Amino acid sequence: MDRRVYDRMAEHDSTHWWYRARRDILADYLAREAKLPVSPHILEIGCGTGHNLPMLAAFGEVDAIEIDPAARAIASQRLGKPVGDAPLPALPGVPRGHYDLIAVLDVVEHIEDDVAALAAMRECLAPGGKILIAVPAHQWMWSAHDVVNHHHRRYSKKTLLGAIHKAGLRERGLTYFNSLLFPLAAAARVAGRLTGRDDSDDSPPAAPLNALFERIFGFERHLVGRVPMPIGVSILTLAEPS
């Protein structure tokens, strides 16, 4: 990702409505759907500044990987131990057959060979282990945001399922999320394309609007995995070896 993306993440990941609400949604989804063993070993790949690590640590012992040095330093402070730098798709040095949960949250779209990356993650799973995958949805929503984040693609349900199956995995439910705000997001992308406006600035909006968006998006913790979501800005699933 561009340096400015990491800098904004470090500045806003504790206050921005998207980060805060997504953590609540993912925590609720994991609690209901992951069925983790007692004291699980968890790995987050592409942890950025480590903003998800406290949430994941509520479920078990967490390790993390981040290839950007500055973001890795912040994440290491948050985790309280060194964060690794093993790159995808190969994950060299990451123990095989060890992790009960691997989290890749808006990461797989950054990897050119997504199938190889998912296959390497599969090898790192302990028996019964699962991969929590979140990716951006809808290639037609491609914008400057995807460019500065160095995305290779946005996914449809079909293309994500294809990558999962080719990697020797099967999905355990697959759902859209960030659905309630989808009309606003879609309108903003279309307007940006028509006007040539750069939408890559991820700074939070004014405080009242930030709080409102957090409440709306955060409400999806009651819906995701329970109610079919017909469309959304992102796709979420748990995958396990087939």
Side-chain angles (χ1 to χ4, degrees):
M1 297 190 292
D2 284 5
R3 174 78 264 144
R4 57 179 166 149
V5 177
Y6 285 111
D7 291 343
R8 284 200 299 265
M9 185 186 297
E11 184 178 0
H12 300 304
D13 63 20
S14 64
T15 58
H16 195 293
W17 64 270
W18 185 84
Y19 291 109
R20 290 170 58 87
R22 190 180 69 150
R23 285 192 291 267
D24 289 344
I25 292 166
L26 294 174
D28 191 85
Y29 182 77
L30 282 173
R32 287 186 286 107
E33 304 293 336
K35 297 178 174 58
L36 296 172
V38 176
S39 302
H41 297 287
I42 300 170
L43 173 67
E44 184 179 11
I45 299 174
C47 70
T49 54
H51 50 89
N52 294 313
L53 297 177
M55 179 270 291
L56 292 171
F59 294 92
E61 178 66 26
V62 178
D63 295 325
I65 292 170
E66 173 53 53
I67 61 171
D68 180 80
R72 186 168 65 249
I74 297 171
S76 296
Q77 290 182 336
R78 283 175 159 169
L79 188 59
K81 62 183 179 182
V83 168
D85 61 355
L88 287 167
L91 294 176
V94 178
R96 267 45 182 177
H98 181 69
Y99 291 103
D100 301 295
L101 177 71
I102 295 176
V104 275
L105 306 172
D106 291 276
V107 169
V108 179
E109 67 275 9
H110 295 267
I111 309 304
E112 185 172 3
D113 192 341
D114 54 354
V115 174
L118 289 167
M121 295 177 215
R122 185 198 71 226
E123 294 173 358
C124 297
L125 291 174
K130 303 170 185 68
I131 306 172
L132 178 67
I133 304 169
V135 295
H138 311 299
Q139 189 64 29
W140 62 264
M141 291 186 74
W142 186 272
S143 72
H145 171 85
D146 298 282
V147 174
V148 300
N149 279 274
H150 297 182
H151 292 172
H152 286 277
R153 68 195 73 79
R154 298 178 71 92
Y155 285 88
S156 66
K157 284 187 174 182
K158 181 178 179 180
T159 57
L160 180 57
L161 286 173
I164 287 170
H165 295 162
K166 288 177 184 176
L169 297 160
R170 62 186 176 191
E171 74 286 352
R172 290 187 53 190
L174 188 147
T175 182
Y176 288 114
F177 75 119
N178 200 354
S179 300
L180 299 178
L181 290 169
F182 177 81
L184 287 178
R189 295 294 171 91
V190 171
R193 190 170 300 155
L194 293 175
T195 62
R197 182 176 59 85
D198 183 346
D199 71 344
S200 63
D201 185 356
D202 293 328
S203 300
L209 198 57
N210 192 64
L212 176 61
F213 286 169
E214 182 181 343
R215 285 196 296 272
I216 294 171
F217 185 20
F219 183 78
E220 293 188 21
R221 69 185 183 276
H222 304 297
L223 306 177
V224 172
R226 290 183 170 120
V227 177
M229 310 293 271
I231 200 165
V233 180
S234 300
I235 303 172
L236 179 67
T237 191
L238 281 163
E240 60 187 7
S242 55

